[in-house]
Amino acid sequence: GNSVTQMEGPVTLSEEAFLTINCTYTATGYPSLFWYVQYPGEGLQLLLKATKADDKGSNKGFEATYRKETTSFHLEKGSVQVSDSAVYFCALSGLSGGSYIPTFGRGTSLIVHP
Amino acid sequence: GAVVSQHPSRVICKSGTSVKIECRSLDFQATTMFWYRQFPKQSLMLMATSNEGSKATYEQGVEKDKFLINHASLTLSTLTVTSAHPEDSSFYICSARQETNQPQHFGDGTRLSIL
């Protein structure tokens, strides 16, 4: 079946530091890839997406590139802010057992200090 | 666009009570809705997938008679936790998707506390 593996957290950074959260996946065919963000006490929000190899998704200064050769979709941001503190989920939507079922990673908590 | 409303946001009730949670897509038609349970330390557990007009598909280990899911229209799905007990206390999140392979849009979640 499909699976998503992302780095364990928490990731703790100072404001304006560079962020990378690693995500790799296993899937058949050509899944779509997503990053979602969850702020404390809230549901998940779509942060960015990529639907085919070499696509780069970007939003709010975050970027991730769909790398089929390495089956990765790492999330990056050049300069994090305190307001970026949240839990980040890598996810894919791909064919599994005849249906397009979403698969999530376990989430990575990001803590940004002033 | 792509707003999903989940209601209520918080429920506190006595053991043995049944609780209904609603999930509505406000500005799009959702062919598929998903129900998740989120445990401490963040992990999301997919409970079931529901398609409008058909029976929900439950993940292994999820009790169908305990967690009743109805997807009566393209904009509404409900999850009813029947005869809830303290071990059912959790954060339940719904999501809706318009087309396959498209992103899901999530509700804000429901914090269920059973006393």
Side-chain angles (χ1 to χ4, degrees), chain B:
Chain B
V3 176
V4 173
S5 173
Q6 186 174 341
H7 178 80
S9 59
R10 185 172 181 91
V11 179
I12 302 173
C13 57
K14 294 180 180 179
S15 185
T17 306
S18 291
V19 178
K20 179 185 281 189
I21 303 170
E22 289 190 351
C23 182
R24 293 181 184 272
S25 58
L26 297 185
D27 52 0
F28 66 100
Q29 292 187 326
T31 55
T32 308
M33 287 187 170
F34 303 91
W35 287 96
Y36 294 87
R37 183 172 177 175
Q38 188 170 30
F39 294 96
K41 297 188 180 180
Q42 309 139 24
S43 64
L44 279 172
M45 183 192 83
L46 178 64
M47 299 175 66
T49 302
S50 75
N51 294 293
E52 184 265 340
S54 60
K55 289 184 178 180
T57 302
Y58 289 81
E59 295 299 304
Q60 193 172 7
V62 178
E63 299 176 61
K64 300 178 183 181
D65 296 330
K66 175 75 168 177
F67 299 100
L68 300 178
I69 291 172
N70 183 277
H71 192 160
S73 75
L74 283 171
T75 59
L76 174 64
S77 177
T78 60
L79 166 67
T80 301
V81 184
T82 61
S83 186
H85 290 95
E87 60 266 28
D88 299 323
S89 298
S90 194
F91 192 54
Y92 293 87
I93 307 176
C94 75
S95 71
R97 184 179 69 190
Q98 188 168 15
E99 299 289 344
T100 57
N101 234 16
Q102 290 298 308
Q104 300 171 72
H105 302 283
F106 285 83
D108 282 340
T110 298
R111 175 71 61 190
L112 176 62
S113 300
I114 308 298
L115 306 177

Side-chain angles (χ1 to χ4, degrees), chain A residues 70-94:
Chain A
T70 55
T71 62
S72 64
F73 193 55
H74 305 321
L75 182 68
E76 296 181 337
K77 186 173 185 181
S79 176
V80 294
Q81 306 300 312
V82 173
S83 58
D84 293 326
S85 298
V87 179
Y88 293 81
F89 290 89
C90 185
L92 69 83
S93 178

